[in-house]
Amino acid sequence: MARKQTEPIAIISLRRLSMRIPEPQPQESKTFTVEDAVETIGFGRFHIALFLIMGSTGVVEAMEIMLLAVVSPVIRCEWQLENWQVALVTTMVFFGYMVSSILFGLLADRYGRWKILLISFVWGSYFSLLTSFAPSYIWFVFLRTMVGCGVSGHAQGLIIKTEFLPTKYRGYMLPLSQVFWLTGSLLVIGLASVVVPTIGWRWLIRVASIPGIILIVAFRFIPESARFNVSTGNTQAALATLESIAKMNRSFMPEGKLVEPILEKRGRFADLLDAKYLRTTLQIWVIWLGISFAYYGIILASAELLERDLVCGSKLKSKSTVVEAGGHLEETQSPCYCHMFAPSDYQTMIISTIGEIALNPLNMLGINFLGRRLTLSITMGCTALFFLLLNICTSSAGLTGFLFTLRALVAANFNTIYIYTAEVYPTTTRALGMGTSGSLCRIGAMVAPFISQVLMSASFLGALCLFSSVCAICAISAFTLPIETKGRALQVSNAGNSAVILMSLVN
C-alpha cells in the first residue's frame, strides 16, 4: 500500500516541476550596418594612411590648376597672345572639368569610387605630360582641356575619405586636407621660380606631372568604399574591408551580421531633385558656383595684379611700336605685351597662397561648434567685404595682406562646402551630388578668367564689385540651407535609415 500511495505523489511532483521549466525562446541574431562598424572601429592607423594618400590628390589638383597662373605670362610672350586668349586657356580647362565631372560622378555611384579615381589620375597625368610638347597655342588649349577632364575625377578621393571617417572626426580631418592643396600650390610656385627662368615652362609641366604618377601607385593601398560595396550587394567585400581596417587600427568589429539593403537605384539625377533634396541641391549649386568664381578669380587676379601692376588703378602700358605711314612716323599700341614674373612677384604669390591655411583652426572650430551653414555664411560674407577692400590704394605690403586674407577666406569657403556636400547626400547619390556640384562650380571658374584677366583691366572697381556681389548672394544662400549636417550620420538612401531597420527586423 505504501508503494501505491507514493506513486501519485511522485507523478504530481514531476508534473509541477516540469511546469516551472520555461520553454526555449528563439534568439534574435545581432546585426549591424556599415555606419555602426565605422563608428565602432573608430579612428586609427588606417585613417592616417587614408588621409595622407587621398589627401595627396589635392597636391596634384592644386599643381595642375596653379600651373595656369604661373605659365600664363610665359605663353603670352611665346605665342604673342591677347587677353582673351590667355583667359580662354583657363576657361577651357574648367569646361573639360565641368563636362566630365558629372560623368565621373555618375560612373562612381554605379561602378565604384576607387576605379573612377584611378582612371581620372591616369587620364590627367597622360595629357599633362603631352601638354609639355604642345607645338602651338591651339594644341596647348586642347591638351589642357583634357587635363581638366581628368582632374574632375579627383573629388572621389574626398568621397572615399568621407565614407571611411567616423562622424566626430569628419569636421576636423576634412578641413585639414587643405594643407595638401596648399602644398601643391606652393610647390608649383616654387618650382616655377626656379625652372621657368632656367629650362623653361615645358619642363615645369613635366616635373609637375611626377606627383600624379607616384600617387597612381599608392592607390593600391586604399580599398574601395565599404559603403559603396554594401549598397551594391557585395557584402563580403565590404565586410573584408571593415575587418582589415579593424585589424590595422587594432580595434574590433561590432557583433553580429553585416546587414544593409541592396540599393538598385543608384546615381540617378532624379534623386538629387527629389522633394527632400530639391531646395538643398539648388542652393548648393549656387554656392559652389559662387565659391569657385571667387576662388579662381582671386588666384588669377593675384597674378594679373603682379603681372600688369593694376594696383591703385595704374595700368602697365602695352608695347608700342613705331611704323612709317605716308612719310610720317606713327606710334601704334600692340594688344600683346610681355612682362615676366620677377622674384618678388613669386614671393608675393607664395605669401598669399600660405593664407589658405591661416583660417583653418577657426574654420574647424566653426564647422564643429557653429555648424556648417552658419560658418559658411560668415566666411562668404567676409569674402564679399574683402573683395571691396581690395580697391583701397595701398602699398605692396598692403596688397599682399589683402590677398593673404582673401585666399584664407576663399579656402575656408571651399573647405566647408566640400564637407557639407559630402555629408548631406546619401550613399546612393553622394558621388553624383559631388560631381554635379563640381561641374556647376566650373561655370564660375570658366567665367572668372574673363573677369580677372579682361574686365579687371578695363574696370578694376567693376570687377571687384561683381566678385563681391556674388559672394554676398552665396552667404545668404548658405544661411538659408534647409539641412544642417553637423553631428549627423551619413545617410544610406533618400528614405534615410528606415530601410536598414526593416532589413534588420526581417533577418
Side-chain angles (χ1 to χ4, degrees):
M1 293 293 293
R3 188 176 62 184
K4 289 181 181 180
Q5 290 175 352
T6 56
E7 274 187 339
I9 295 173
I11 291 171
I12 292 171
S13 298
L14 287 172
R15 284 178 179 174
R16 288 177 179 173
L17 184 62
S18 65
M19 290 174 66
R20 294 175 185 172
I21 300 174
E23 295 182 3
Q25 299 291 329
Q27 294 183 352
E28 294 184 3
S29 59
K30 293 183 178 180
T31 61
F32 64 91
T33 64
V34 175
E35 181 73 22
D36 297 330
V38 169
E39 296 297 331
T40 302
I41 293 171
F43 186 87
R45 291 189 295 177
F46 167 79
H47 297 92
I48 295 174
L50 176 74
F51 176 73
L52 293 175
I53 295 175
M54 291 294 103
S56 295
T57 60
V59 174
V60 177
E61 185 174 354
M63 292 184 73
E64 295 294 352
I65 298 300
M66 284 299 296
L67 267 173
L68 302 174
V70 295
V71 168
S72 291
V74 191
I75 63 171
R76 186 198 297 268
C77 293
E78 181 168 329
W79 288 316
Q80 291 296 292
L81 304 179
E82 297 184 27
N83 291 339
W84 69 268
Q85 290 175 305
V86 176
L88 184 63
V89 176
T90 306
T91 297
M92 290 306 295
V93 169
F94 290 123
F95 174 77
Y97 196 120
M98 180 186 70
V99 172
S100 59
S101 185
I102 297 177
L103 177 62
F104 278 147
L106 185 66
L107 294 175
D109 276 328
R110 294 189 178 183
Y111 302 107
R113 288 82 161 98
W114 189 91
K115 294 176 184 176
I116 299 304
L117 182 63
L118 180 64
I119 291 172
S120 71
F121 262 81
V122 173
W123 179 287
S125 299
Y126 174 72
F127 282 102
S128 183
L129 280 173
L130 285 184
T131 304
S132 66
F133 299 98
S136 64
Y137 168 74
I138 298 299
W139 270 106
F140 184 86
V141 171
F142 170 74
L143 292 172
R144 291 314 293 180
T145 303
M146 294 296 102
V147 173
C149 292
V151 170
S152 68
H154 295 186
Q156 303 309 316
L158 176 74
I159 293 176
I160 291 175
K161 279 191 297 183
T162 303
E163 294 186 338
F164 274 125
L165 281 171
T167 303
K168 68 177 182 179
Y169 289 96
R170 291 201 302 265
Y172 295 99
M173 297 304 295
L174 295 180
L176 284 176
S177 299
Q178 186 64 30
V179 174
F180 294 99
W181 181 277
L182 172 69
T183 302
S185 299
L186 293 177
L187 186 58
V188 78
I189 295 172
L191 285 171
S193 66
V194 176
V195 175
V196 173
T198 54
I199 54 180
W201 63 269
R202 296 178 186 274
W203 276 103
L204 173 65
I205 293 179
R206 291 164 193 160
V207 173
S209 302
I210 295 175
I213 297 171
I214 295 174
L215 209 54
I216 291 172
V217 180
F219 285 155
R220 62 185 296 267
F221 297 103
I222 300 299
E224 177 59 271
S225 166
R227 294 179 191 270
F228 170 79
N229 278 331
V230 81
S231 70
T232 60
N234 196 356
T235 307
Q236 290 302 317
L239 186 60
T241 297
L242 293 170
E243 289 174 345
S244 175
I245 295 172
K247 182 178 179 181
M248 188 173 179
N249 284 4
R250 295 177 181 174
S251 184
F252 55 89
M253 290 278 291
E255 295 182 3
K257 179 183 178 182
L258 177 59
V259 175
E260 218 158 312
I262 300 174
L263 305 172
E264 297 292 342
K265 298 177 180 179
R266 304 187 310 277
R268 301 189 310 166
F269 287 102
D271 292 336
L272 293 179
L273 302 177
D274 181 80
K276 181 179 179 181
Y277 290 105
L278 177 60
R279 180 182 161 189
T280 302
T281 297
L282 295 178
Q283 289 185 231
I284 282 177
W285 287 350
V286 170
I287 295 169
W288 270 92
L289 190 152
I291 290 177
S292 181
F293 178 67
Y295 182 80
Y296 294 107
I298 192 58
I299 288 177
L300 296 172
S302 299
E304 199 72 8
L305 285 167
L306 297 172
E307 183 186 356
R308 306 189 66 177
D309 190 23
L310 292 179
V311 186
C312 299
S314 63
K315 295 183 182 179
L316 184 68
K317 293 183 179 180
S318 302
K319 291 192 307 182
S320 61
T321 57
V322 179
V323 297
E324 185 175 351
H328 299 281
L329 294 179
E330 295 183 0
E331 186 175 293
T332 61
Q333 297 294 324
S334 170
C336 305
Y337 61 90
C338 185
H339 177 73
M340 304 295 289
F341 283 148
S344 59
D345 295 332
Y346 285 114
Q347 182 180 0
T348 300
M349 291 181 72
I350 289 174
I351 293 173
S352 63
T353 301
I354 292 174
E356 293 200 3
I357 63 167
L359 289 181
N360 254 19
L362 289 177
N363 190 222
M364 284 190 286
L365 289 174
I367 286 171
N368 288 283
F369 292 98
L370 298 179
R372 281 60 162 154
R373 294 179 300 181
L374 183 56
T375 299
L376 182 57
S377 180
I378 292 172
T379 54
M380 285 301 306
C382 292
T383 306
L385 174 62
F386 271 86
F387 262 116
L388 292 179
L389 293 178
L390 196 60
N391 188 54
I392 296 176
C393 187
T394 183
S395 63
S396 177
L399 173 64
T400 302
F402 280 128
L403 293 177
F404 181 92
T405 306
L406 267 172
R407 289 291 287 270
L409 288 167
V410 294
N413 296 334
F414 251 131
N415 271 342
T416 310
I417 195 61
Y418 259 115
I419 294 171
Y420 182 84
T421 308
E423 290 178 334
V424 76
Y425 290 114
T427 302
T428 50
T429 55
R430 186 167 296 121
L432 182 59
M434 287 291 294
T436 53
S437 299
S439 179
L440 264 293
C441 89
R442 300 311 153 185
I443 296 177
M446 289 167 63
V447 176
F450 289 96
I451 306 303
S452 296
Q453 296 175 316
V454 180
L455 177 61
M456 189 169 282
S457 300
S459 175
F460 188 66
L461 180 60
L464 294 181
C465 287
L466 182 57
F467 281 122
S468 180
S469 300
V470 171
C471 291
I473 293 171
C474 290
I476 297 170
S477 184
F479 186 76
T480 57
L481 280 167
I483 301 174
E484 174 58 71
T485 62
K486 182 174 78 75
R488 192 184 75 156
L490 294 182
Q491 305 296 295
V492 177
S493 66
N494 283 358
N497 294 328
S498 58
V500 179
I501 297 171
L502 180 61
M503 285 292 293
S504 300
L505 294 174
V506 170
N507 284 274

